[in-house]
Amino acid sequence: MGTGKGGLLATAVAVVCAITVLGAPGAAFASPIPAPTTTSTPAAGAQAPALPSTATADKNLEAVRARLETLYHDAAVATDAYNAAEEAAQKQSAEIVELAKKIVAGQQKLAELKDRAGAAARAQYRTGGLPDEAQLMLSNDPSEFLDGAGRVRQGQRATKGLITQLTRTQQDLEQYSKDASAQWAKLETGRKIKAAAQKKIEKQISEAEKLESRLEKKEKARLEELERQSAQKAQTAWLDTGILHEIDSAASAQGKKAVQFATAQVGKPYVWGAEGPDSFDCSGLTSEAWKSAGRAMPRTSQEQWQQLPHVPVEDMRPGDLIIYFSDASHVAMYVGDGSIIHAPRPGRTVTVAGAGSMPILGVVRPDA
């Protein structure tokens, strides 16, 4: 790392470059679209092939739905990795800047201490470096010398203190440099993780979009209906457990503010890595909602699950966050009456859904 004010400038420039690289959008990773199959006109008298039955068509669409669910789930996992790397990069960049400031301040202090040490050395040179006894014998006024000798001893003690400060400052500078180098290494590792996650996200979403693009208009409508039916079936099963009879806690003051924020975002598109104000991913929505209520919290759904206090499902209240899937790859905000607000996936908007429409891992409370 560079030193002095130039070092600080170089550090700041490098930080900006790192952040720019980390934030730059990657290229899309599209898989080739299969060539359309050709069909021939049936010969005279030949029967046209029978159209697939509704049951067969639904079975095929169900397979498509399952595949899309897998693709978007994998994209959500990668989005969490991307968001975590982004959050870490911001912290590491800030730490590097602070270390650079400490290095500059340390160098200034070191220069000042060296000037003082030089002045002390010059003063000693002017006395000829003679021992006190010799200077006493050569002095014309012994009493004046003794007064001066007391000041010299004070100066000697000050010189020792000066040397101690010089040593400590040099050690501090060395440690700051090592810490900055370590942060740069972490920043580079995070950049690679973020780039790999971005590549996976774009690949999974691209494949999902291509799969959906091959469907006819009626098939797309039927696919959405199958998705709705699947979610409704899961929600009904969850409600049939009688869970709502146990969930009757009122929202906290901060929880109400978080719910109000989330409700105001309904209809805005899902965009991976987004924290608003025009689009959100799942954890971007929940973290920003609670930030608006005055409560800072982790950025990703996995970190929210790991770091926030857990509460039993039957004790949850509006504003609490429900974490979904065994890998904590999705999060939503509970808003009461068995409902959630969440940003589902690419191609969808922030919406209200049933709290039991996905497999629940657990519930966390930001303001516990």
Side-chain angles (χ1 to χ4, degrees):
M1 168 169 290
T3 58
K5 294 185 178 179
L8 174 60
L9 179 59
T11 301
V13 171
V15 169
V16 172
C17 292
I19 294 172
T20 303
V21 170
L22 290 171
F29 296 86
S31 55
I33 302 176
T37 56
T38 56
T39 56
S40 56
T41 304
Q47 292 184 345
L51 294 173
S53 65
T54 302
T56 301
D58 278 0
K59 185 177 180 180
N60 292 338
L61 283 174
E62 181 60 31
V64 171
R65 188 191 69 79
R67 177 59 180 159
L68 287 173
E69 189 175 275
T70 298
L71 289 170
Y72 283 126
H73 174 267
D74 290 348
V77 174
T79 297
D80 244 20
Y82 177 94
N83 289 336
E86 171 69 13
E87 187 176 39
Q90 291 175 358
K91 290 179 180 178
Q92 288 153 6
S93 297
E95 288 174 5
I96 289 170
V97 170
E98 289 304 312
L99 285 167
K101 291 178 180 178
K102 289 181 179 180
I103 288 172
V104 170
Q107 288 174 331
Q108 292 173 343
K109 182 178 180 181
L110 189 62
E112 178 186 344
L113 291 170
K114 286 182 177 179
D115 285 344
R116 289 168 55 190
R122 289 190 295 272
Q124 185 178 11
Y125 175 78
R126 284 195 297 270
T127 66
L130 294 173
D132 291 347
E133 295 83 353
Q135 292 187 48
L136 176 61
M137 293 181 69
L138 294 174
S139 174
N140 293 325
D141 188 345
S143 62
E144 182 180 345
F145 167 76
L146 291 173
D147 290 340
R151 289 192 294 272
V152 169
R153 282 193 292 272
Q154 291 176 355
Q156 288 174 340
R157 286 194 292 270
T159 300
K160 289 181 180 179
L162 183 61
I163 293 173
T164 300
Q165 288 186 61
L166 274 165
T167 303
R168 186 182 299 117
T169 302
Q170 288 173 328
Q171 291 172 343
D172 287 345
L173 285 171
E174 289 175 4
Q175 187 60 51
Y176 295 153
S177 179
K178 289 179 182 178
D179 290 346
S181 296
Q183 291 301 328
W184 274 116
K186 289 180 182 179
L187 197 64
E188 176 62 14
T189 299
R191 185 195 66 77
K192 292 177 180 178
I193 293 173
K194 186 177 174 182
Q198 180 172 336
K199 183 177 180 180
K200 183 173 183 179
I201 293 165
E202 292 174 340
K203 181 179 180 181
Q204 301 298 90
I205 293 176
S206 177
E207 185 176 343
E209 289 174 343
K210 283 182 171 57
L211 182 58
E212 288 186 285
S213 71
R214 298 189 186 107
L215 299 176
E216 299 292 337
K217 186 176 181 179
K218 289 183 179 179
E219 290 176 320
K220 289 180 180 179
R222 182 57 182 161
L223 178 63
E224 287 190 22
E225 177 62 19
L226 289 175
E227 290 178 349
R228 188 193 67 76
Q229 289 177 2
S230 176
Q232 184 60 42
K233 182 179 179 181
Q235 173 72 354
T236 300
W238 184 67
L239 293 176
D240 285 347
T241 65
I243 189 69
L244 283 190
H245 295 298
E246 300 181 48
I247 302 174
D248 59 359
S249 299
S252 65
Q254 283 186 309
K256 288 180 181 178
K257 291 181 181 179
V259 169
Q260 288 171 354
F261 179 94
T263 302
Q265 313 314 311
V266 170
K268 293 183 179 181
Y270 176 106
V271 174
W272 60 266
E275 300 175 83
D278 300 320
S279 57
F280 296 88
D281 63 18
C282 68
S283 57
L285 175 64
T286 55
S287 60
E288 288 300 304
W290 271 101
K291 186 185 294 184
S292 74
R295 177 74 63 164
M297 58 182 296
R299 171 63 176 87
T300 72
S301 60
Q302 293 176 345
E303 289 174 326
Q304 289 169 6
W305 173 243
Q306 292 169 3
Q307 298 181 31
L308 298 178
H310 293 201
V311 296
V313 175
E314 61 270 19
D315 292 338
M316 70 178 172
R317 65 193 187 193
D320 287 348
L321 306 182
I322 304 180
I323 309 296
Y324 291 97
F325 304 107
S326 60
D327 54 5
S329 57
H330 190 67
V331 61
M333 179 175 290
Y334 184 65
V335 294
D337 296 325
S339 298
I340 56 171
I341 290 178
H342 71 144
R345 65 167 177 81
R348 298 287 186 264
T349 60
V350 175
T351 188
V352 178
S357 58
M358 296 168 285
I360 295 175
L361 176 61
V363 178
V364 296
R365 179 165 294 164
D367 63 338

